[in-house]
Amino acid sequence: MNRTEQLAKITLNLSEWQKLYYKHQQEYIRRRLEAIKNLHEKKTRKEVMEIVGCVEQTLISWIDIYLEKGLAGLVAPIRHQKPQKLNPEQKEQLKTMLLKQKPIDYGIDRYIWTGKIIEEVIKTRWNLELKDSRIYQILDSLGLSHQKAHRDYENANPEAQKEFVSTIKKLQELQPQDKLIFYDEFAVYDRPSLYYGWAEKNTKPEVPSNEKRQRQKLNGMLSVDAVSGEVYLQLQPQSKAEDVAAYLADLCQDSLQENCTKIDIVLDNNSTHKQKMKGLFHDYLVAREIDDKIEVNFLHSPAYSPDFNLAEYEIHLLRLQKLHHLPSTVTIEQIQLALEDVKYLMNPEQIFRTLEHIFRLPI
């Protein structure tokens, strides 16, 4: 029996595939998973090779792994058997470097240690060439992990979370002229951001910051379309109730130009999102003479449940993609310039998958 016949006899476990795809962020593992999924969807090998960008021999090797070991075999990490080039003393120096210093200390205008930057500094310090995949293995052996602290909200109401998920699922059944929007706010400063960094396992990295210096700040207001993934972003000096109301009125006016006649807007429970803001928002619609042209419904996400707001995921991506790798001497004007053309951070499929993740959050 050839490979194609063997594949045809296997039923792809989509639930397991989805979990593994979310769990493993490495591109080479995701390409393997996508290849097998596309083969199960009756695409030809040639089509799959074009989709994932591989040659036939590579695809055949993935098929063989899948046939022998299943999906678990596809996500097994690549282990390099090459001898280690860093001696024990150099490894300890590398660990100290990542914990105590920053790339800027080595003439690189960044605060974040990425694999490529570590690779560059190792080459400069010890005249050794290591691939970033090997570097990550060494860091794991040194007890380091790439992490950021997060809050654990103990006051969340499980029943409110269940009801919210149920409501969002119903609202997903949209008419062509309807929109489902998630909204949230964030702040940016001309100061080091709380980025991911290397730290001892079960600890968190510290970011040096001179808090006596006067800081400049901008408030970001971000909405994301829960179907298309389109982002609507404004940066303002303030984010009071009147600022939020004006932003949402702008959003509605622009949506009208796209022939949208109904918007459901998901907000969190910030004090600037309550009755005062909604009253001002209605006044803005009346002043623009569009209050009778578009229907707007507000829905509040459950209290103490930031993970249930799609906009939170967008803001996280925004910081990763646009802010975390800016020069260490960045100004507020440069930040504003970096964010001015943001339109999409996730495509529709990624939006759908993120919502599915939200629906499966433990309650």
Side-chain angles (χ1 to χ4, degrees):
M1 195 169 9
N2 62 33
R3 294 181 178 90
T4 303
E5 292 170 338
Q6 292 180 65
L7 269 175
K9 288 182 172 293
I10 299 174
T11 301
L12 178 65
N13 186 330
L14 282 174
S15 176
E16 182 186 1
W17 185 95
Q18 195 83 49
K19 289 178 182 177
L20 291 173
Y21 191 88
Y22 280 130
K23 181 178 179 181
H24 297 276
Q25 305 292 318
Q26 301 95 322
E27 182 184 357
Y28 75 91
I29 289 180
R30 288 191 162 187
R31 287 172 67 213
R32 294 177 182 179
L33 292 170
E34 288 171 356
I36 295 302
K37 183 172 182 287
N38 278 290
L39 288 171
H40 274 290
E41 292 172 351
K42 308 301 181 186
K43 290 185 174 64
T44 66
R45 289 189 187 179
K46 185 176 181 181
E47 289 172 329
V48 174
M49 287 156 54
E50 290 177 355
I51 292 170
V52 302
C54 71
V55 298
E56 185 173 13
Q57 193 55 47
T58 300
L59 180 58
I60 290 173
S61 70
W62 294 344
I63 294 171
D64 289 341
I65 292 171
Y66 176 62
L67 292 175
E68 181 184 354
K69 301 179 181 179
L71 292 174
L74 290 174
V75 301
I78 296 174
R79 297 295 182 188
H80 299 283
Q81 300 303 319
K82 294 181 180 179
Q84 297 183 10
K85 293 184 178 180
L86 286 175
N87 61 42
E89 182 181 354
Q90 289 169 334
K91 286 182 181 179
E92 285 304 314
Q93 291 173 0
L94 173 63
K95 183 175 182 178
T96 300
M97 179 180 83
L98 297 182
L99 295 177
K100 305 289 187 182
Q101 299 174 307
K102 296 289 178 284
I104 195 170
D105 297 322
Y106 292 86
I108 300 172
D109 193 16
R110 293 292 185 271
Y111 275 116
I112 305 172
W113 286 112
T114 65
K116 291 296 181 185
I117 292 177
I118 297 171
E119 180 183 338
E120 183 179 337
V121 173
I122 287 176
K123 186 175 181 180
T124 302
R125 284 190 67 174
W126 297 299
N127 196 28
L128 295 174
E129 293 189 10
L130 295 178
K131 292 185 177 180
D132 53 4
S133 57
R134 176 65 191 131
I135 290 170
Y136 293 141
Q137 291 177 3
I138 293 173
L139 297 182
D140 183 65
S141 71
L142 292 172
L144 300 180
S145 63
H146 206 229
Q147 56 193 283
K148 182 180 178 181
H150 67 279
R151 295 180 179 86
D152 183 17
Y153 294 90
E154 298 179 351
N155 308 103
N157 184 330
E159 292 305 316
Q161 291 174 337
K162 288 180 184 177
E163 184 179 349
F164 176 77
V165 167
S166 176
T167 302
I168 294 299
K169 286 181 177 180
K170 292 176 183 176
L171 289 176
Q172 283 183 298
E173 302 171 6
L174 298 172
Q175 298 299 316
Q177 67 276 17
D178 297 350
K179 280 187 179 183
L180 173 59
I181 298 291
F182 284 76
Y183 169 81
D184 205 357
E185 295 141 17
F186 63 100
V188 290
Y189 302 84
D190 59 340
R191 63 191 275 183
S193 60
L194 295 177
Y195 43 73
Y196 285 82
W198 293 99
E200 297 275 6
K201 290 181 179 178
N202 300 317
T203 68
K204 57 184 179 181
E206 295 181 354
V207 179
S209 181
N210 180 4
E211 296 304 312
K212 292 184 177 180
R213 183 168 75 85
Q214 186 175 359
R215 299 291 180 186
Q216 288 186 293
K217 172 187 174 184
L218 283 173
N219 295 279
M221 302 180 191
L222 182 146
S223 294
V224 55
D225 188 307
V227 176
S228 70
E230 184 175 7
V231 168
Y232 191 80
L233 173 65
Q234 285 185 10
L235 296 174
Q236 301 289 350
Q238 302 289 334
S239 59
K240 297 180 179 178
E242 52 267 33
D243 304 298
V244 176
Y247 163 89
L248 293 175
D250 289 343
L251 171 66
C252 290
Q253 191 158 24
D254 287 355
S255 297
L256 266 176
Q257 295 176 4
E258 301 169 2
N259 298 317
C260 173
T261 57
K262 179 186 174 187
I263 302 183
D264 293 298
I265 302 176
V266 179
L267 307 165
D268 64 18
N269 291 275
N270 191 296
S271 59
T272 59
H273 303 164
K274 299 300 177 69
Q275 205 56 43
K276 177 182 177 181
M277 185 280 291
K278 294 173 185 176
L280 290 168
F281 168 72
H282 180 262
D283 292 342
Y284 283 132
L285 294 188
V286 171
R288 300 180 191 203
E289 299 182 347
I290 60 173
D291 58 305
D292 59 345
K293 295 181 175 63
I294 188 165
E295 177 186 345
V296 180
N297 301 305
F298 290 109
L299 170 69
H300 289 273
S301 58
Y304 305 106
S305 305
D307 289 349
F308 285 75
N309 189 344
L310 180 63
E312 288 273 0
Y313 297 81
E314 291 280 338
I315 292 169
H316 175 70
L317 277 177
L318 181 80
R319 292 190 185 279
L320 284 178
Q321 294 179 15
K322 301 293 183 179
L323 299 179
H324 285 183
H325 295 282
L326 289 174
S328 56
T329 54
V330 67
T331 65
I332 203 71
E333 290 77 20
Q334 289 173 315
I335 291 174
Q336 198 162 6
L337 187 64
L339 299 182
E340 84 178 357
D341 293 326
V342 173
K343 198 69 175 174
Y344 290 93
L345 295 165
M346 287 193 269
N347 61 38
E349 183 179 359
Q350 291 168 325
I351 290 288
F352 174 80
R353 290 175 178 175
T354 305
L355 285 171
E356 289 296 304
H357 163 75
I358 290 172
F359 298 157
R360 292 194 301 270
L361 286 172
I363 296 176

